[in-house]
Amino acid sequence: MADQPLILYHYPFSPYARRLIWYLKIRGIPYCQCLQPPILPRPDLSTHLSLNYRRIPLLAHGGDLYLDTRLILNLLDTLFPPPPLTADQKTITHLLSTLTTATTLFFKAAELLPSSLPVMKDPKFLRDRATFSPAIFAAPRTKEDRALSRAEALLEIQSSVRLLEETILSDGRNWVLGGKEPTRADVEGVWVIHWLLTLPPPHNDNALDPAVINKTRYPKTMAWVNRFDQFINALSEKEGRVIKGGEAAELILKGKKGGDIGVDETDPVVKVQGLKKGDVVEVFPTDTGSAFKDRGRLVGVDEKEVVWENEKGVRVHAPRLGFRVLGVKGRPSL
Ligand SMILES: N[C@@H](CCC(=O)N[C@@H](CS)C(=O)NCC(=O)O)C(=O)O
């Protein structure tokens, strides 16, 4: 199946998308990219593929469409296995992923985006993001509340930088797992702090107060982010070919589908709802973009992913963590 095309749907300023682009480049994995607008609508997904999920990025592999970078990175490691890791290296990689994707870190970073950024002054963007994360973009707050919550956000980012400085990077290694080149572990650890440190000038100094996060206090971490940035920039020739939404959809709709994982009847969520293969299910993320729900016939579910086929025949995969799977009772229709 590694011969099926990979199509990445994204827009370049998405920090989550960069997680994937960096990994694809570091591993030298060929891919195509289908560029999306930073705000809805995204007819390449909604019209061509009948997908409601609103988050970026997504990755298609043959006739299968994968949601969420955590699932997508695991897919890439299955299709293109990296050199074997020790148990300790696997642990570090996993814990860095947890730190940056399963805590409030990303939201704290988003909180720190300077209000001087053009998108932060664009009412259309702000209206759009209010439907993605009401807690950050729609909550009415006084100036004082906002200043305090930015200060707390900075403290949380600082604590993650200190963690890197005092643990993984404390022995002066160049890359998280040692070695001569960055690995997935670097990608998992770096993307949030890299995002804030590399905002376009003149905004790059505004997100992280240089009096708090600087080279004197955190020399190893700051040097590592810089080293990573240079490494990635040197790989810029490995850009994926850009394709249009129509071509991408055609490739997916006629793409070969992967194997069937079946429905695990011991799965607690399957069991409590009595779900069976072919049942209509509704699936949606529980943290952000939760109002954008997808429906389809259940194809498979295990502890790692849920798979359903939608009305266009696209086989969609979502991770179990952070997603709800609901059986649709009554008169189920897609
Ligand atoms: N857990 C998701 C989070 C993805 C996410 O939040 N992406 C942001 C962009 S960086 C997003 O979708 N923002 C709203 C949008 O673009 O519609 C993942 O790992 O893929």
Side-chain angles (χ1 to χ4, degrees):
M1 280 299 284
D3 57 330
Q4 291 294 304
L6 292 174
I7 304 168
L8 178 67
Y9 289 87
H10 76 110
Y11 51 89
F13 76 76
S14 155
Y16 271 101
R18 281 190 216 136
R19 275 160 61 67
L20 298 186
I21 292 177
W22 291 339
Y23 195 55
L24 288 161
K25 286 185 173 180
I26 288 174
R27 297 287 321 285
I29 300 170
Y31 68 101
C32 300
Q33 39 184 335
C34 183
L35 296 173
Q36 296 304 302
I39 60 173
L40 299 182
R42 298 187 181 121
D44 292 349
L45 294 158
S46 53
T47 309
H48 285 299
L49 300 176
S50 279
L51 193 81
N52 288 326
Y53 181 75
R54 70 145 303 159
R55 304 197 303 197
I56 290 291
L58 306 91
L59 187 84
H61 171 238
D64 292 78
L65 188 62
Y66 291 81
L67 315 183
D68 200 286
T69 57
R70 291 165 293 187
L71 189 64
I72 295 170
L73 286 167
N74 289 344
L75 168 76
L76 293 175
D77 279 352
T78 307
L79 296 174
F80 304 92
L85 299 179
T86 64
D88 287 356
Q89 291 176 323
K90 282 187 202 160
T91 308
I92 292 178
T93 309
H94 192 87
L95 290 181
L96 282 177
S97 169
T98 304
L99 173 71
T100 60
T101 67
T103 67
T104 51
L105 202 69
F106 169 74
F107 302 103
K108 298 298 170 186
E111 184 95 44
L112 286 174
L113 290 179
S115 47
S116 59
L117 277 173
V119 283
M120 299 306 275
K121 287 193 259 190
D122 177 351
K124 270 198 204 149
F125 181 84
L126 296 174
R127 263 200 310 275
D128 177 84
R129 286 312 191 258
T131 70
F132 163 72
S133 177
I136 296 183
F137 291 96
R141 281 187 292 181
T142 63
K143 218 170 145 200
E144 290 74 21
D145 282 348
R146 183 151 162 71
L148 180 58
S149 85
R150 280 177 68 89
E152 287 171 349
L154 181 57
L155 195 68
E156 191 159 326
I157 299 292
Q158 182 184 13
S159 126
S160 74
V161 171
R162 195 179 68 245
L163 174 82
L164 292 163
E165 187 79 17
E166 292 179 352
T167 61
I168 298 164
L169 301 173
S170 64
D171 60 6
R173 63 185 67 190
N174 273 349
W175 305 112
V176 167
L177 299 185
K180 292 200 172 61
E181 296 202 336
T183 61
R184 175 167 168 185
D186 294 274
V187 173
E188 298 284 12
V190 82
W191 65 281
V192 176
I193 180 75
H194 179 281
W195 179 32
L196 294 175
L197 287 171
T198 60
L199 290 171
H203 314 284
N204 46 345
D205 268 355
N206 300 344
L208 293 174
D209 181 349
V212 177
I213 295 187
N214 58 54
K215 283 185 194 155
T216 314
R217 259 190 182 171
Y218 306 110
K220 296 185 171 104
T221 311
M222 297 297 266
W224 167 67
V225 177
N226 197 27
R227 196 178 305 122
F228 185 86
D229 191 55
Q230 286 177 2
F231 187 94
I232 289 298
N233 287 337
L235 298 179
S236 56
E237 80 284 3
K238 293 195 177 165
E239 274 325 315
R241 181 171 73 90
V242 175
I243 60 175
K244 291 258 184 267
E247 187 188 345
E250 214 172 288
L251 284 167
I252 295 168
L253 295 175
K254 66 167 203 246
K256 199 162 140 197
K257 292 189 170 67
D260 194 341
I261 56 169
V263 174
D264 175 5
E265 284 174 8
T266 69
D267 181 280
V269 171
V270 168
K271 212 161 148 182
V272 77
Q273 300 183 83
L275 294 178
K276 298 267 176 294
K277 190 174 169 127
D279 282 357
V280 176
V281 287
E282 191 164 74
V283 185
F284 53 94
T286 50
D287 50 357
T288 52
S290 309
F292 298 80
K293 302 178 198 291
D294 280 279
R295 273 191 182 194
R297 299 250 169 221
L298 185 63
V299 172
V301 57
D302 65 12
E303 60 191 296
K304 296 180 187 153
E305 60 173 343
V306 52
V307 189
W308 68 96
E309 200 157 296
N310 75 11
E311 63 183 19
K312 279 256 159 61
V314 182
R315 201 183 268 193
V316 191
H317 299 240
R320 296 302 303 282
L321 218 66
F323 280 75
R324 181 155 295 157
V325 181
L326 286 180
V328 177
K329 301 270 164 4
R331 289 174 48 234
S333 71
L334 295 185

